[in-house]
Amino acid sequence: MPESLLASLNLSVASAEIFMVSAICVVLLVDVFLSDRSRWITYALTLLSLVGVAIVTVKTGVSARVSALEGAYVADPMGDVLKLFAYGTVAVAFMYSHDYLRRRGLFKGEYFILGLSALLGMMVMISAGSLVTVYLGVELLSLSLYAMVAFDRDSGVAAESAMKYFVLGAIASGTLLYGFSILYGLTGTLQLDELALAVREVGPDKLGLIFGLVFIIAGIAFKFGAVPFHMWIPDVYHGAPTPVTMFIGSAPKIASFVLAIRVLAEGLDSMVASWQGMLIVLSVLSMIIGNVVAIAQTNLKRMLAYSTISHVGFILLGILAGTGIGYRAAMFYTLTYVIMAIGSFGMILLLSREGFEADRIEDFRGLNRKSPWFAAVMMMLMFSTAGVPPFVGFWAKIAVLGAVVDAGLVWLAAVAVLLSVVAAFYYLRVVKVMYFDEPSDSVAVEGGGVVRALLTVNGLAVLILGIFPGALIDLCARVLP
């Protein structure tokens, strides 16, 4: 290949993705020749791959926006931060899952390889500079998650959940692609920066563009899990093995956020008046349905599923503000939510043991008497998720509400506050069960030292970031001006 062509492609800025593809191939090849007793090698290689790609990302980090692959790939500070956060989230998810998978005979290479493939899809989405690149990342992430949900081959419930997820996901992907094709037909470009200029020339009020936007919003809403495209979340969260539920409920939210930012805030920024109204409807419906239906749940995974839907409504609040302040608030909320969600599912993994899934709210009864510290950790996670000060979830909600008020949507902020009060009920119910109900059994809390240490750090993180939220807020402000 001529050097001039290599220079024009600027592949060096995509070193992280190249490294991850190579690492996946290596892990896959090594895992083929391993016995079940040697599967720890796959686990170790997976964690080493995550460390390696983090180092590569730091080494090749940029201080300003850089394009590569003729505009199909974009590197910027926001992308670097989100990638590093995604690596850490995936690594924590793998470490939380280790003991659970071993106890149930599910400690297989497929889980880790599919997880790395899903991470690669997130990385592609984060650095997408073209609608084609966006779609490639979406599909790589989605296909990996479909397979992960059906990872437990002996579980009929998991298989059913995977089929529902696959069918609905295929429809959503087709919807998203159809919207992209309409944009291309009207503007003649797939590059996001060129698309922004072309939309202004065509006219943001053109009926064809609005028609395409409707399909794009529907696709984005499905990937987020916003109402009325939320029907897959409760079934998938409940039916999938808990480590897979934890994976789906954490890191992919970063990809969903960046999908909305790249397509709406960058490519369709001149159509903000059109997509703002659509997102208002999605946001309000998500907060209402998510919080109200969560009250009736007795299964903790399903409760957290509806909780996710309500939090998606809050993330959309920041995005629909259509301002830099709103985008930064949405990014801050997304990162905060990922920290809280992965810790909550980590607690379910900690309390689970062979033949027992701690996925019902009543399974946490009397946890304070069996393990006061981990009851406190779960309490901190629930309080933070509910938005109770001084935990970081409180500041995330304040940031989003402030952006909405600045955008002149005071009534929307009032609705969000009211529904946050409703949400506090089902989070406090978990705390009440842990501290005021009698234990249902006398079995001690199991779990290895690594899981216990990680959960301790996870719980303290929501408290420390709540007391000192400035560091994370400033980081979002620096990388997303």
Side-chain angles (χ1 to χ4, degrees):
M1 187 178 292
E3 291 186 7
S4 58
L5 180 57
L6 281 173
S8 66
L9 293 177
N10 197 15
L11 290 174
S12 61
V13 297
S15 299
E17 284 76 10
I18 296 171
F19 179 92
M20 181 55 70
V21 170
S22 304
I24 291 172
C25 293
V26 171
V27 174
L28 180 59
L29 286 173
V30 171
D31 185 72
V32 169
F33 298 99
L34 294 177
S35 63
D36 288 341
R37 288 186 176 181
S38 303
R39 199 67 65 194
W40 65 268
I41 297 176
T42 301
Y43 174 67
L45 286 175
T46 300
L47 295 182
L48 285 175
S49 299
L50 293 171
V51 172
V53 74
I55 293 172
V56 171
T57 301
V58 172
K59 291 288 186 182
T60 59
V62 295
S63 57
R65 190 182 179 94
V66 178
S67 295
L69 300 174
E70 299 183 347
Y73 181 96
V74 172
D76 57 10
M78 180 190 74
D80 291 339
V81 169
L82 291 179
K83 285 179 185 177
L84 289 170
F85 207 91
Y87 305 155
T89 303
V90 172
V92 170
F94 286 159
M95 288 188 280
Y96 275 151
S97 306
H98 179 273
D99 292 346
Y100 182 97
L101 295 173
R102 275 200 177 281
R103 288 195 298 265
R104 284 160 176 75
L106 297 174
F107 194 69
K108 302 180 185 299
E110 292 96 312
Y111 175 76
F112 302 104
I113 293 164
L114 288 170
L116 291 179
S117 300
L119 176 60
L120 178 60
M122 297 178 217
M123 295 167 66
V124 172
M125 291 173 66
I126 289 170
S127 292
S130 162
L131 294 178
V132 172
T133 315
V134 168
Y135 189 72
L136 288 175
V138 167
E139 285 304 285
L140 181 54
L141 172 60
S142 299
L143 291 172
S144 301
L145 294 182
Y146 302 152
M148 287 184 78
V149 173
F151 167 65
D152 185 358
R153 300 172 189 172
D154 297 327
S155 173
V157 176
E160 179 186 351
S161 300
M163 287 300 297
K164 290 179 181 177
Y165 192 15
F166 172 73
V167 172
L168 294 173
I171 295 172
S173 295
T175 301
L176 187 66
L177 186 60
Y178 185 53
F180 287 170
S181 67
I182 293 175
L183 289 186
Y184 176 70
L186 292 172
T187 62
T189 182
L190 293 168
Q191 305 297 108
L192 290 173
D193 51 355
E194 296 176 3
L195 178 66
L197 298 174
V199 168
R200 289 187 178 91
E201 293 178 2
V202 173
D205 296 329
K206 189 176 180 64
L207 182 60
L209 286 177
I210 296 175
F211 187 69
L213 178 63
V214 171
F215 285 93
I216 291 171
I217 292 292
I220 292 174
F222 178 87
K223 300 305 176 185
F224 258 121
V227 176
F229 307 97
H230 68 292
M231 63 289 293
W232 62 274
I233 288 188
D235 289 339
V236 170
Y237 274 39
H238 187 199
T242 305
V244 177
T245 303
M246 175 176 58
F247 191 99
I248 294 175
S250 54
K253 299 307 175 191
I254 299 173
S256 300
F257 162 77
V258 84
L259 171 63
I261 291 295
R262 294 294 189 205
V263 176
L264 299 180
E266 293 183 11
L268 301 173
D269 60 324
S270 60
M271 298 184 69
V272 63
S274 298
W275 53 255
Q276 184 184 62
M278 300 180 194
L279 292 187
I280 287 175
V281 175
L282 295 176
S283 176
V284 172
L285 288 177
S286 297
M287 290 187 290
I288 292 174
I289 299 298
N291 286 321
V292 172
V293 180
I295 294 174
Q297 304 306 310
T298 57
N299 183 281
L300 186 57
K301 288 166 68 174
R302 293 188 75 90
M303 191 201 84
L304 291 174
Y306 284 104
S307 166
T308 296
I309 295 169
S310 69
H311 285 289
V312 163
F314 264 92
I315 295 173
L316 292 177
L317 282 180
I319 296 172
L320 67 83
T323 61
I325 295 174
Y327 301 147
R328 291 192 290 272
M331 180 177 174
F332 177 51
Y333 199 105
T334 302
L335 299 182
T336 298
Y337 172 73
V338 169
I339 294 172
M340 299 183 300
I342 199 166
S344 300
F345 286 110
M347 282 297 303
I348 297 177
L349 293 177
L350 176 70
L351 298 186
S352 298
R353 55 185 184 272
E354 191 170 352
F356 175 74
E357 293 285 339
D359 59 353
R360 296 176 302 170
I361 295 176
E362 66 179 32
D363 294 333
F364 282 72
R365 290 174 56 185
L367 180 60
N368 181 55
R369 300 192 181 183
K370 295 192 288 185
S371 178
W373 171 244
F374 286 108
V377 168
M378 188 61 171
M379 180 185 68
M380 289 189 285
L381 291 167
M382 290 294 100
F383 278 172
S384 183
T385 311
V388 176
F391 302 99
V392 68
F394 169 76
W395 297 109
K397 280 181 164 51
I398 288 294
V400 167
L401 293 173
V404 172
V405 171
D406 287 343
L409 299 168
V410 179
W411 68 270
L412 190 55
V415 170
V417 171
L418 176 63
L419 292 171
S420 293
V421 175
V422 174
F425 172 80
Y426 56 85
Y427 293 122
L428 293 177
R429 182 174 59 183
V430 177
V431 177
K432 175 260 182 187
V433 165
M434 292 190 301
Y435 281 89
F436 297 102
D437 288 9
E438 292 294 325
S440 55
D441 56 56
S442 58
V443 180
V445 175
E446 298 180 5
V450 173
V451 175
R452 289 170 174 266
L454 282 174
L455 274 171
T456 298
V457 173
N458 209 154
L460 291 176
V462 299
L463 175 61
I464 294 172
L465 288 173
I467 298 173
F468 305 103
L472 189 54
I473 294 174
D474 291 344
L475 178 63
C476 295
R478 285 200 306 271
V479 302
L480 192 56

